[in-house]
Amino acid sequence: MSSVVQKSTAAESPLVLLCRKWNNFPSSVAQSRCLPVFFGEHHIGYVRPEHAKVMSENYPKAFREEPDSTRGSTTFSVLSEESLATALERMRTETEIQAVKGWRNELYAIRSQFHLPTLLLIERSAACLFGMRQYGTTLIGIVHHPQKGKCVWLQRRAKDKPTWPGQWDVTVSGGLSAFLDIRQRMIQEAEEEAGIPEVLLKDMKAAGIVSFFHDCPRGMYPSTEFMFEVELPSSFTPKNMDGEVDEFRLVSLQELYEAILDPSFKITACPMAVDCLIRHGYLDIETEPQLIEILESIHVPLDSFYRMKP
Amino acid sequence: MSSVVQKSTAAESPLVLLCRKWNNFPSSVAQSRCLPVFFGEHHIGYVRPEHAKVMSENYPKAFREEPDSTRGSTTFSVLSEESLATALERMRTETEIQAVKGWRNELYAIRSQFHLPTLLLIERSAACLFGMRQYGTTLIGIVHHPQKGKCVWLQRRAKDKPTWPGQWDVTVSGGLSAFLDIRQRMIQEAEEEAGIPEVLLKDMKAAGIVSFFHDCPRGMYPSTEFMFEVELPSSFTPKNMDGEVDEFRLVSLQELYEAILDPSFKITACPMAVDCLIRHGYLDIETEPQLIEILESIHVPLDSFYRMKP
């Protein structure tokens, strides 16, 4: 493949500039700078070289850095689930690595691909240190408003949330730490976050998958989001039940487009909003001539990135 | 990036096996075997080594093969639009290369990315010899059938069409040889191929983009398809106007799924059908656990493949 150099031109749209922020790993130097992380033959992530060095030197029972002659590069291996857990516990007090400071006491199941068996369990907060794949579910609540036309409910995240406090977000989103019964998980999250009763979700439909790779100071997030969509009656107003949302706001597709361009919108929720704008025909190639690049930034081929060693 | 080795397991779904047929270039050995094609600094395609050799040896005014020290490989350059046109004309009689035998007298505009200026014009039939990007428009005609529920119109291509004769295809598709006014081009194609009057297309909506890379004996097809969708009244039946379609058939989403698994369905129309099945919630991660791979196969990042030299 040709190298992925993106040259800016004066004509680039605000949305193209934004999409390079939510999907800033594959197109940046980060990818070539990071070490691939393996668990046995399975490529499960990426790690920054400075973290790789600290970990392989101080926790040799858990991690090993070694040259890979077939690639002409260095790889980083996680040696076992048990040694990983022990090392991470020690790293909380012995290192300054940010990811292990935000400990959540929640185990994430790591697999190279979604349909393959779980390879190992890892404390959720540490997954981003190793650039391990994360999965989530997102619901877009649609209302056919008598005056404004097709509208979408947005939520503003509570000011005390550990991540992205006070930022605007799509209707409902939740992480998938266990992978069973995705639809049921979405229904449960919609009830907790937005007070949407199950009866209003009976026509909820699957609406595809959004994948992107976000790199930020906290860590690396290769994310895959299972999208759902439901039409809600205009008489219904979402109401938060679990304290995680401060307010809801109904916006037209035009207002949604404007909202995501504002820095108050959670950058890693923009891909799901863009998917919705494309699905409903608001964004098309005639109004947005760089739509191909934008669409690629919400369909990053993570399954192809994470494959077994040849 | 990790290498893209796909290992089969007994559990793979028929749709996953099919998606590796319509998108068989990036995942095959073809990619590493082919030479990247440049026009100046622009990466515009791929060429098979045996064709590269014949062309650079016999038409040195048009083509040059040379080692690329930064890549440790060989690249192939198209030297000018004029010398290319002259060489292709001569190749029709002087070589056995299949692509130039199917001459169409239609010029394709080649650009590295859709929104960038045209780099050169090339006879349409030869574009696949150089793996140059092709664009098209597709319309999915939806009917809410009183008994069968949500349905889609399919067409069977005429038996005398030069490509894929007699195969089943989505409602309407057309190549974009010029790039102006895509929506108008789609309306025109819908009238010619399926007799859909413009008045029935007033609510036609853009429905995203499908990209895939198909490799076959005729050549290499990195294709990007602009998707449109329209709801048609159940009283309307498509009627071909230009002799390119033999019959139309209305199928439910379930029947559409079954149709694409049948070899009588045009393999390069399957991605557009799958996009429709995902958009309408027929395919989801619970019924199709390998949906991520399938979705990646209809959103191949061609914009990332074709970039300028660093």
Side-chain angles (χ1 to χ4, degrees), chain A residues 1-2 5 31 43 46 115 182-183 205-206 279 281 286 295-296 299 301-303 305, chain B residues 1-2 31 43 46 182-183 205-206 279 281 285-286 290 295-296 299 301-303 305 307:
Chain A
M1 288 292 94
S2 131
V5 175
Q31 189 180 297
H43 177 207
Y46 291 94
H115 70 290
I182 299 166
R183 175 174 286 262
K205 68 166 192 175
R279 193 167 50 250
E286 302 208 277
L295 217 135
E296 288 183 7
H299 291 296
L302 299 179
D303 255 30
F305 288 5
Chain B
M1 291 289 90
S2 130
Q31 188 180 297
H43 177 206
Y46 291 94
I182 298 166
R183 176 174 285 264
K205 68 166 193 176
R279 193 167 52 249
I285 187 67
E286 303 207 278
Q290 289 180 267
L295 217 133
E296 288 183 7
H299 292 295
L302 299 179
D303 254 31
F305 288 5
R307 291 276 176 184

mmCIF file of all heavy atoms in Angstrom, chain A residues 1-2 5 31 43 46 115 182-183 205-206 279 281 286 295-296 299 301-303 305, chain B residues 1-2 31 43 46 182-183 205-206 279 281 285-286 290 295-296 299 301-303 305 307:
data_model
loop_
_atom_site.group_PDB
_atom_site.id
_atom_site.type_symbol
_atom_site.label_atom_id
_atom_site.label_comp_id
_atom_site.label_asym_id
_atom_site.label_seq_id
_atom_site.Cartn_x
_atom_site.Cartn_y
_atom_site.Cartn_z
ATOM 1 N N MET A 1 0.840 -1.207 0.000
ATOM 2 C CA MET A 1 0.000 0.000 0.000
ATOM 3 C C MET A 1 0.866 1.245 0.000
ATOM 4 O O MET A 1 1.926 1.284 0.595
ATOM 5 C CB MET A 1 -0.878 0.021 1.267
ATOM 6 C CG MET A 1 -1.974 -1.014 1.217
ATOM 7 S SD MET A 1 -3.253 -0.688 -0.013
ATOM 8 C CE MET A 1 -2.631 -1.633 -1.404
ATOM 9 N N SER A 2 0.381 2.243 -0.622
ATOM 10 C CA SER A 2 1.072 3.519 -0.618
ATOM 11 C C SER A 2 1.029 4.100 0.789
ATOM 12 O O SER A 2 0.153 3.778 1.582
ATOM 13 C CB SER A 2 0.369 4.431 -1.609
ATOM 14 O OG SER A 2 0.084 5.682 -1.094
ATOM 15 N N VAL A 5 0.027 9.646 3.541
ATOM 16 C CA VAL A 5 0.350 11.042 3.809
ATOM 17 C C VAL A 5 -0.834 11.898 3.395
ATOM 18 O O VAL A 5 -1.342 11.770 2.292
ATOM 19 C CB VAL A 5 1.590 11.472 2.999
ATOM 20 C CG1 VAL A 5 1.866 12.949 3.186
ATOM 21 C CG2 VAL A 5 2.778 10.643 3.413
ATOM 22 N N GLN A 31 1.317 5.430 14.402
ATOM 23 C CA GLN A 31 1.298 4.023 14.031
ATOM 24 C C GLN A 31 2.699 3.457 13.795
ATOM 25 O O GLN A 31 3.011 2.361 14.258
ATOM 26 C CB GLN A 31 0.465 3.887 12.770
ATOM 27 C CG GLN A 31 0.179 2.487 12.368
ATOM 28 C CD GLN A 31 -0.652 2.480 11.111
ATOM 29 O OE1 GLN A 31 -1.773 2.963 11.096
ATOM 30 N NE2 GLN A 31 -0.107 1.949 10.047
ATOM 31 N N HIS A 43 -2.209 -10.528 17.331
ATOM 32 C CA HIS A 43 -1.920 -9.104 17.411
ATOM 33 C C HIS A 43 -3.119 -8.430 18.096
ATOM 34 O O HIS A 43 -4.204 -8.356 17.533
ATOM 35 C CB HIS A 43 -1.726 -8.545 15.998
ATOM 36 C CG HIS A 43 -1.498 -7.062 15.978
ATOM 37 N ND1 HIS A 43 -1.822 -6.260 14.920
ATOM 38 C CD2 HIS A 43 -0.979 -6.243 16.921
ATOM 39 C CE1 HIS A 43 -1.507 -5.006 15.186
ATOM 40 N NE2 HIS A 43 -1.003 -4.969 16.395
ATOM 41 N N TYR A 46 -1.386 -1.915 20.315
ATOM 42 C CA TYR A 46 -0.194 -1.105 20.085
ATOM 43 C C TYR A 46 0.212 -0.492 21.421
ATOM 44 O O TYR A 46 -0.639 -0.234 22.277
ATOM 45 C CB TYR A 46 -0.488 0.027 19.089
ATOM 46 C CG TYR A 46 -0.739 -0.469 17.688
ATOM 47 C CD1 TYR A 46 -2.036 -0.716 17.247
ATOM 48 C CD2 TYR A 46 0.319 -0.709 16.820
ATOM 49 C CE1 TYR A 46 -2.267 -1.197 15.964
ATOM 50 C CE2 TYR A 46 0.096 -1.188 15.540
ATOM 51 C CZ TYR A 46 -1.200 -1.432 15.114
ATOM 52 O OH TYR A 46 -1.420 -1.912 13.855
ATOM 53 N N HIS A 115 -15.785 -12.022 16.834
ATOM 54 C CA HIS A 115 -16.461 -13.315 16.835
ATOM 55 C C HIS A 115 -15.550 -14.443 17.330
ATOM 56 O O HIS A 115 -15.990 -15.583 17.412
ATOM 57 C CB HIS A 115 -16.989 -13.645 15.435
ATOM 58 C CG HIS A 115 -15.893 -13.947 14.448
ATOM 59 N ND1 HIS A 115 -15.028 -12.979 13.987
ATOM 60 C CD2 HIS A 115 -15.517 -15.099 13.860
ATOM 61 C CE1 HIS A 115 -14.178 -13.528 13.144
ATOM 62 N NE2 HIS A 115 -14.454 -14.805 13.045
ATOM 63 N N ILE A 182 -26.191 -8.189 22.817
ATOM 64 C CA ILE A 182 -25.898 -6.778 22.562
ATOM 65 C C ILE A 182 -27.160 -5.936 22.559
ATOM 66 O O ILE A 182 -27.208 -4.846 23.128
ATOM 67 C CB ILE A 182 -25.182 -6.644 21.200
ATOM 68 C CG1 ILE A 182 -23.870 -7.420 21.254
ATOM 69 C CG2 ILE A 182 -24.936 -5.200 20.848
ATOM 70 C CD1 ILE A 182 -23.253 -7.646 19.913
ATOM 71 N N ARG A 183 -28.216 -6.464 21.913
ATOM 72 C CA ARG A 183 -29.476 -5.720 21.836
ATOM 73 C C ARG A 183 -30.062 -5.499 23.231
ATOM 74 O O ARG A 183 -30.520 -4.408 23.557
ATOM 75 C CB ARG A 183 -30.464 -6.477 20.936
ATOM 76 C CG ARG A 183 -31.860 -5.880 20.859
ATOM 77 C CD ARG A 183 -32.718 -6.614 19.845
ATOM 78 N NE ARG A 183 -32.311 -6.270 18.490
ATOM 79 C CZ ARG A 183 -32.939 -5.342 17.748
ATOM 80 N NH1 ARG A 183 -34.003 -4.709 18.221
ATOM 81 N NH2 ARG A 183 -32.513 -5.064 16.550
ATOM 82 N N LYS A 205 -33.993 -0.662 15.522
ATOM 83 C CA LYS A 205 -33.329 -1.467 14.490
ATOM 84 C C LYS A 205 -31.821 -1.307 14.548
ATOM 85 O O LYS A 205 -31.301 -0.245 14.905
ATOM 86 C CB LYS A 205 -33.859 -1.117 13.098
ATOM 87 C CG LYS A 205 -33.485 0.260 12.622
ATOM 88 C CD LYS A 205 -33.737 0.437 11.128
ATOM 89 C CE LYS A 205 -33.068 1.731 10.667
ATOM 90 N NZ LYS A 205 -33.122 1.983 9.247
ATOM 91 N N ALA A 206 -31.123 -2.375 14.184
ATOM 92 C CA ALA A 206 -29.674 -2.313 14.044
ATOM 93 C C ALA A 206 -29.364 -1.409 12.853
ATOM 94 O O ALA A 206 -30.066 -1.437 11.843
ATOM 95 C CB ALA A 206 -29.113 -3.709 13.804
ATOM 96 N N ARG A 279 -26.588 8.303 6.968
ATOM 97 C CA ARG A 279 -27.690 7.350 6.788
ATOM 98 C C ARG A 279 -28.996 8.059 6.433
ATOM 99 O O ARG A 279 -29.805 7.542 5.677
ATOM 100 C CB ARG A 279 -27.852 6.510 8.062
ATOM 101 C CG ARG A 279 -28.738 5.297 7.898
ATOM 102 C CD ARG A 279 -28.630 4.317 9.063
ATOM 103 N NE ARG A 279 -28.786 4.962 10.356
ATOM 104 C CZ ARG A 279 -27.820 5.133 11.239
ATOM 105 N NH1 ARG A 279 -26.606 4.679 10.985
ATOM 106 N NH2 ARG A 279 -28.054 5.744 12.381
ATOM 107 N N GLY A 281 -29.167 10.846 4.796
ATOM 108 C CA GLY A 281 -29.049 11.615 3.556
ATOM 109 C C GLY A 281 -28.748 13.087 3.775
ATOM 110 O O GLY A 281 -28.800 13.874 2.819
ATOM 111 N N GLU A 286 -22.431 15.691 -2.909
ATOM 112 C CA GLU A 286 -22.537 16.971 -3.607
ATOM 113 C C GLU A 286 -22.337 18.153 -2.662
ATOM 114 O O GLU A 286 -21.727 19.146 -3.029
ATOM 115 C CB GLU A 286 -23.871 17.053 -4.345
ATOM 116 C CG GLU A 286 -23.991 15.881 -5.328
ATOM 117 C CD GLU A 286 -24.855 16.171 -6.526
ATOM 118 O OE1 GLU A 286 -26.092 16.033 -6.403
ATOM 119 O OE2 GLU A 286 -24.305 16.537 -7.576
ATOM 120 N N LEU A 295 -16.153 9.208 5.345
ATOM 121 C CA LEU A 295 -16.739 7.884 5.532
ATOM 122 C C LEU A 295 -15.677 6.843 5.910
ATOM 123 O O LEU A 295 -15.912 5.965 6.741
ATOM 124 C CB LEU A 295 -17.488 7.485 4.255
ATOM 125 C CG LEU A 295 -18.753 6.716 4.541
ATOM 126 C CD1 LEU A 295 -19.900 7.221 3.700
ATOM 127 C CD2 LEU A 295 -18.578 5.249 4.338
ATOM 128 N N GLU A 296 -14.500 6.973 5.320
ATOM 129 C CA GLU A 296 -13.419 6.047 5.693
ATOM 130 C C GLU A 296 -13.019 6.215 7.152
ATOM 131 O O GLU A 296 -12.611 5.257 7.806
ATOM 132 C CB GLU A 296 -12.199 6.256 4.779
ATOM 133 C CG GLU A 296 -12.454 5.740 3.375
ATOM 134 C CD GLU A 296 -11.251 5.860 2.443
ATOM 135 O OE1 GLU A 296 -10.157 6.219 2.894
ATOM 136 O OE2 GLU A 296 -11.445 5.584 1.242
ATOM 137 N N HIS A 299 -15.164 4.117 9.244
ATOM 138 C CA HIS A 299 -15.124 2.681 8.915
ATOM 139 C C HIS A 299 -13.674 2.236 8.788
ATOM 140 O O HIS A 299 -13.269 1.678 7.762
ATOM 141 C CB HIS A 299 -15.883 2.389 7.620
ATOM 142 C CG HIS A 299 -17.361 2.580 7.742
ATOM 143 N ND1 HIS A 299 -18.135 1.810 8.567
ATOM 144 C CD2 HIS A 299 -18.196 3.467 7.165
ATOM 145 C CE1 HIS A 299 -19.390 2.205 8.478
ATOM 146 N NE2 HIS A 299 -19.464 3.213 7.638
ATOM 147 N N PRO A 301 -10.638 -0.060 9.028
ATOM 148 C CA PRO A 301 -10.646 -1.538 8.994
ATOM 149 C C PRO A 301 -9.858 -2.167 10.145
ATOM 150 O O PRO A 301 -8.800 -2.751 9.939
ATOM 151 C CB PRO A 301 -10.031 -1.854 7.634
ATOM 152 C CG PRO A 301 -9.187 -0.671 7.309
ATOM 153 C CD PRO A 301 -9.833 0.526 7.957
ATOM 154 N N LEU A 302 -10.401 -2.060 11.341
ATOM 155 C CA LEU A 302 -9.701 -2.582 12.524
ATOM 156 C C LEU A 302 -9.535 -4.095 12.461
ATOM 157 O O LEU A 302 -8.534 -4.633 12.925
ATOM 158 C CB LEU A 302 -10.448 -2.183 13.803
ATOM 159 C CG LEU A 302 -10.579 -0.675 14.048
ATOM 160 C CD1 LEU A 302 -11.360 -0.420 15.331
ATOM 161 C CD2 LEU A 302 -9.219 -0.007 14.142
ATOM 162 N N ASP A 303 -10.513 -4.796 11.880
ATOM 163 C CA ASP A 303 -10.369 -6.252 11.751
ATOM 164 C C ASP A 303 -9.134 -6.604 10.923
ATOM 165 O O ASP A 303 -8.489 -7.614 11.170
ATOM 166 C CB ASP A 303 -11.617 -6.866 11.092
ATOM 167 C CG ASP A 303 -12.479 -7.598 12.114
ATOM 168 O OD1 ASP A 303 -12.489 -7.200 13.298
ATOM 169 O OD2 ASP A 303 -13.144 -8.572 11.720
ATOM 170 N N PHE A 305 -6.448 -4.652 10.784
ATOM 171 C CA PHE A 305 -5.268 -4.256 11.561
ATOM 172 C C PHE A 305 -4.865 -5.364 12.536
ATOM 173 O O PHE A 305 -3.687 -5.565 12.806
ATOM 174 C CB PHE A 305 -5.547 -3.000 12.395
ATOM 175 C CG PHE A 305 -5.668 -1.725 11.605
ATOM 176 C CD1 PHE A 305 -5.632 -1.707 10.229
ATOM 177 C CD2 PHE A 305 -5.826 -0.511 12.268
ATOM 178 C CE1 PHE A 305 -5.749 -0.522 9.518
ATOM 179 C CE2 PHE A 305 -5.941 0.678 11.572
ATOM 180 C CZ PHE A 305 -5.909 0.677 10.204
ATOM 181 N N MET B 1 1.446 -1.854 10.478
ATOM 182 C CA MET B 1 0.246 -2.691 10.474
ATOM 183 C C MET B 1 0.622 -4.161 10.459
ATOM 184 O O MET B 1 1.600 -4.547 9.837
ATOM 185 C CB MET B 1 -0.584 -2.423 9.217
ATOM 186 C CG MET B 1 -1.224 -1.062 9.190
ATOM 187 S SD MET B 1 -2.572 -0.880 10.379
ATOM 188 C CE MET B 1 -1.683 -0.278 11.817
ATOM 189 N N SER B 2 -0.161 -4.925 11.097
ATOM 190 C CA SER B 2 0.026 -6.371 11.043
ATOM 191 C C SER B 2 -0.339 -6.860 9.639
ATOM 192 O O SER B 2 -1.093 -6.227 8.914
ATOM 193 C CB SER B 2 -0.873 -6.999 12.104
ATOM 194 O OG SER B 2 -1.657 -8.030 11.608
ATOM 195 N N GLN B 31 -1.958 -7.847 -4.025
ATOM 196 C CA GLN B 31 -1.472 -6.522 -3.654
ATOM 197 C C GLN B 31 0.058 -6.470 -3.585
ATOM 198 O O GLN B 31 0.672 -5.538 -4.078
ATOM 199 C CB GLN B 31 -2.080 -6.161 -2.314
ATOM 200 C CG GLN B 31 -1.815 -4.750 -1.892
ATOM 201 C CD GLN B 31 -2.462 -4.495 -0.552
ATOM 202 O OE1 GLN B 31 -3.673 -4.566 -0.410
ATOM 203 N NE2 GLN B 31 -1.666 -4.213 0.438
ATOM 204 N N HIS B 43 -0.157 8.464 -6.799
ATOM 205 C CA HIS B 43 -0.373 7.025 -6.878
ATOM 206 C C HIS B 43 -1.783 6.811 -7.424
ATOM 207 O O HIS B 43 -2.767 7.097 -6.759
ATOM 208 C CB HIS B 43 -0.237 6.417 -5.478
ATOM 209 C CG HIS B 43 -0.514 4.946 -5.456
ATOM 210 N ND1 HIS B 43 -0.966 4.281 -4.354
ATOM 211 C CD2 HIS B 43 -0.412 4.012 -6.440
ATOM 212 C CE1 HIS B 43 -1.121 3.009 -4.637
ATOM 213 N NE2 HIS B 43 -0.798 2.816 -5.884
ATOM 214 N N TYR B 46 -2.583 0.155 -9.691
ATOM 215 C CA TYR B 46 -1.714 -1.022 -9.573
ATOM 216 C C TYR B 46 -1.684 -1.705 -10.926
ATOM 217 O O TYR B 46 -2.663 -1.650 -11.677
ATOM 218 C CB TYR B 46 -2.276 -2.000 -8.530
ATOM 219 C CG TYR B 46 -2.199 -1.476 -7.127
ATOM 220 C CD1 TYR B 46 -3.290 -0.816 -6.562
ATOM 221 C CD2 TYR B 46 -1.044 -1.619 -6.366
ATOM 222 C CE1 TYR B 46 -3.218 -0.300 -5.276
ATOM 223 C CE2 TYR B 46 -0.960 -1.110 -5.087
ATOM 224 C CZ TYR B 46 -2.047 -0.461 -4.534
ATOM 225 O OH TYR B 46 -1.968 0.053 -3.277
ATOM 226 N N ILE B 182 -23.969 14.482 -9.805
ATOM 227 C CA ILE B 182 -24.141 13.059 -9.557
ATOM 228 C C ILE B 182 -25.615 12.684 -9.406
ATOM 229 O O ILE B 182 -26.084 11.679 -9.934
ATOM 230 C CB ILE B 182 -23.381 12.681 -8.274
ATOM 231 C CG1 ILE B 182 -21.887 12.956 -8.478
ATOM 232 C CG2 ILE B 182 -23.613 11.218 -7.901
ATOM 233 C CD1 ILE B 182 -21.093 12.943 -7.215
ATOM 234 N N ARG B 183 -26.353 13.513 -8.668
ATOM 235 C CA ARG B 183 -27.774 13.243 -8.445
ATOM 236 C C ARG B 183 -28.532 13.251 -9.779
ATOM 237 O O ARG B 183 -29.361 12.378 -10.044
ATOM 238 C CB ARG B 183 -28.351 14.292 -7.476
ATOM 239 C CG ARG B 183 -29.853 14.180 -7.248
ATOM 240 C CD ARG B 183 -30.311 15.148 -6.171
ATOM 241 N NE ARG B 183 -29.926 14.663 -4.853
ATOM 242 C CZ ARG B 183 -30.758 13.969 -4.055
ATOM 243 N NH1 ARG B 183 -31.985 13.706 -4.427
ATOM 244 N NH2 ARG B 183 -30.335 13.552 -2.894
ATOM 245 N N LYS B 205 -33.079 9.907 -1.618
ATOM 246 C CA LYS B 205 -32.078 10.422 -0.675
ATOM 247 C C LYS B 205 -30.719 9.755 -0.886
ATOM 248 O O LYS B 205 -30.636 8.595 -1.291
ATOM 249 C CB LYS B 205 -32.546 10.233 0.776
ATOM 250 C CG LYS B 205 -32.605 8.802 1.225
ATOM 251 C CD LYS B 205 -32.743 8.684 2.749
ATOM 252 C CE LYS B 205 -32.475 7.236 3.152
ATOM 253 N NZ LYS B 205 -32.472 6.983 4.572
ATOM 254 N N ALA B 206 -29.663 10.523 -0.610
ATOM 255 C CA ALA B 206 -28.315 9.968 -0.620
ATOM 256 C C ALA B 206 -28.208 8.991 0.540
ATOM 257 O O ALA B 206 -28.753 9.230 1.615
ATOM 258 C CB ALA B 206 -27.290 11.088 -0.474
ATOM 259 N N ARG B 279 -28.280 -1.202 6.308
ATOM 260 C CA ARG B 279 -28.969 0.068 6.583
ATOM 261 C C ARG B 279 -30.399 -0.166 7.076
ATOM 262 O O ARG B 279 -30.913 0.578 7.900
ATOM 263 C CB ARG B 279 -28.967 0.933 5.316
ATOM 264 C CG ARG B 279 -29.362 2.372 5.551
ATOM 265 C CD ARG B 279 -29.038 3.270 4.358
ATOM 266 N NE ARG B 279 -29.557 2.761 3.110
ATOM 267 C CZ ARG B 279 -28.817 2.284 2.117
ATOM 268 N NH1 ARG B 279 -27.519 2.256 2.218
ATOM 269 N NH2 ARG B 279 -29.384 1.833 1.013
ATOM 270 N N GLY B 281 -31.343 -2.754 8.765
ATOM 271 C CA GLY B 281 -31.376 -3.545 9.990
ATOM 272 C C GLY B 281 -31.600 -5.033 9.780
ATOM 273 O O GLY B 281 -31.806 -5.769 10.740
ATOM 274 N N ILE B 285 -25.231 -7.670 14.165
ATOM 275 C CA ILE B 285 -24.119 -8.403 14.766
ATOM 276 C C ILE B 285 -24.602 -9.663 15.489
ATOM 277 O O ILE B 285 -23.840 -10.607 15.684
ATOM 278 C CB ILE B 285 -23.310 -7.473 15.710
ATOM 279 C CG1 ILE B 285 -22.042 -8.141 16.243
ATOM 280 C CG2 ILE B 285 -24.157 -6.974 16.877
ATOM 281 C CD1 ILE B 285 -20.999 -8.423 15.192
ATOM 282 N N GLU B 286 -25.876 -9.707 15.839
ATOM 283 C CA GLU B 286 -26.349 -10.892 16.555
ATOM 284 C C GLU B 286 -26.659 -12.057 15.618
ATOM 285 O O GLU B 286 -26.390 -13.204 15.951
ATOM 286 C CB GLU B 286 -27.552 -10.524 17.433
ATOM 287 C CG GLU B 286 -27.149 -9.409 18.404
ATOM 288 C CD GLU B 286 -27.946 -9.389 19.679
ATOM 289 O OE1 GLU B 286 -29.059 -8.841 19.676
ATOM 290 O OE2 GLU B 286 -27.445 -9.930 20.680
ATOM 291 N N GLN B 290 -19.826 -12.133 12.193
ATOM 292 C CA GLN B 290 -18.662 -11.601 11.473
ATOM 293 C C GLN B 290 -19.031 -10.341 10.681
ATOM 294 O O GLN B 290 -18.390 -10.012 9.680
ATOM 295 C CB GLN B 290 -18.072 -12.673 10.555
ATOM 296 C CG GLN B 290 -17.372 -13.774 11.356
ATOM 297 C CD GLN B 290 -16.780 -14.829 10.453
ATOM 298 O OE1 GLN B 290 -17.413 -15.833 10.160
ATOM 299 N NE2 GLN B 290 -15.561 -14.606 10.005
ATOM 300 N N LEU B 295 -18.663 -5.593 6.871
ATOM 301 C CA LEU B 295 -18.781 -4.148 6.727
ATOM 302 C C LEU B 295 -17.476 -3.523 6.218
ATOM 303 O O LEU B 295 -17.486 -2.604 5.397
ATOM 304 C CB LEU B 295 -19.198 -3.533 8.064
ATOM 305 C CG LEU B 295 -20.166 -2.372 7.893
ATOM 306 C CD1 LEU B 295 -21.331 -2.483 8.842
ATOM 307 C CD2 LEU B 295 -19.472 -1.067 8.029
ATOM 308 N N GLU B 296 -16.350 -4.046 6.689
ATOM 309 C CA GLU B 296 -15.059 -3.527 6.199
ATOM 310 C C GLU B 296 -14.885 -3.805 4.710
ATOM 311 O O GLU B 296 -14.243 -3.031 4.006
ATOM 312 C CB GLU B 296 -13.898 -4.152 6.989
ATOM 313 C CG GLU B 296 -13.824 -3.611 8.396
ATOM 314 C CD GLU B 296 -12.645 -4.129 9.209
ATOM 315 O OE1 GLU B 296 -11.768 -4.831 8.670
ATOM 316 O OE2 GLU B 296 -12.621 -3.818 10.411
ATOM 317 N N HIS B 299 -16.408 -1.064 2.804
ATOM 318 C CA HIS B 299 -15.849 0.270 3.093
ATOM 319 C C HIS B 299 -14.326 0.195 3.073
ATOM 320 O O HIS B 299 -13.663 0.571 4.035
ATOM 321 C CB HIS B 299 -16.335 0.785 4.449
ATOM 322 C CG HIS B 299 -17.795 1.093 4.482
ATOM 323 N ND1 HIS B 299 -18.347 2.096 3.728
ATOM 324 C CD2 HIS B 299 -18.816 0.533 5.159
ATOM 325 C CE1 HIS B 299 -19.653 2.132 3.951
ATOM 326 N NE2 HIS B 299 -19.965 1.191 4.809
ATOM 327 N N PRO B 301 -10.743 1.334 2.481
ATOM 328 C CA PRO B 301 -10.257 2.724 2.480
ATOM 329 C C PRO B 301 -9.423 3.075 1.251
ATOM 330 O O PRO B 301 -8.215 3.260 1.341
ATOM 331 C CB PRO B 301 -9.431 2.798 3.769
ATOM 332 C CG PRO B 301 -9.002 1.396 4.043
ATOM 333 C CD PRO B 301 -10.077 0.501 3.494
ATOM 334 N N LEU B 302 -10.095 3.183 0.104
ATOM 335 C CA LEU B 302 -9.382 3.454 -1.146
ATOM 336 C C LEU B 302 -8.710 4.821 -1.130
ATOM 337 O O LEU B 302 -7.630 4.988 -1.704
ATOM 338 C CB LEU B 302 -10.339 3.342 -2.337
ATOM 339 C CG LEU B 302 -10.993 1.971 -2.532
ATOM 340 C CD1 LEU B 302 -11.933 2.013 -3.741
ATOM 341 C CD2 LEU B 302 -9.955 0.891 -2.717
ATOM 342 N N ASP B 303 -9.327 5.805 -0.454
ATOM 343 C CA ASP B 303 -8.683 7.124 -0.373
ATOM 344 C C ASP B 303 -7.325 7.019 0.311
ATOM 345 O O ASP B 303 -6.398 7.751 -0.020
ATOM 346 C CB ASP B 303 -9.571 8.109 0.406
ATOM 347 C CG ASP B 303 -10.237 9.106 -0.532
ATOM 348 O OD1 ASP B 303 -10.516 8.746 -1.694
ATOM 349 O OD2 ASP B 303 -10.489 10.244 -0.093
ATOM 350 N N PHE B 305 -5.451 4.265 0.226
ATOM 351 C CA PHE B 305 -4.554 3.505 -0.657
ATOM 352 C C PHE B 305 -3.913 4.428 -1.691
ATOM 353 O O PHE B 305 -2.773 4.218 -2.079
ATOM 354 C CB PHE B 305 -5.327 2.427 -1.427
ATOM 355 C CG PHE B 305 -5.784 1.262 -0.613
ATOM 356 C CD1 PHE B 305 -5.615 1.208 0.761
ATOM 357 C CD2 PHE B 305 -6.408 0.180 -1.236
ATOM 358 C CE1 PHE B 305 -6.063 0.121 1.493
ATOM 359 C CE2 PHE B 305 -6.846 -0.912 -0.514
ATOM 360 C CZ PHE B 305 -6.677 -0.943 0.847
ATOM 361 N N ARG B 307 -2.622 7.759 -2.387
ATOM 362 C CA ARG B 307 -2.145 9.038 -1.856
ATOM 363 C C ARG B 307 -0.908 9.441 -2.626
ATOM 364 O O ARG B 307 -0.245 8.611 -3.243
ATOM 365 C CB ARG B 307 -1.795 8.891 -0.367
ATOM 366 C CG ARG B 307 -3.009 8.671 0.512
ATOM 367 C CD ARG B 307 -3.650 9.998 0.857
ATOM 368 N NE ARG B 307 -4.871 9.786 1.621
ATOM 369 C CZ ARG B 307 -5.672 10.767 1.994
ATOM 370 N NH1 ARG B 307 -5.388 12.016 1.683
ATOM 371 N NH2 ARG B 307 -6.771 10.511 2.671
#
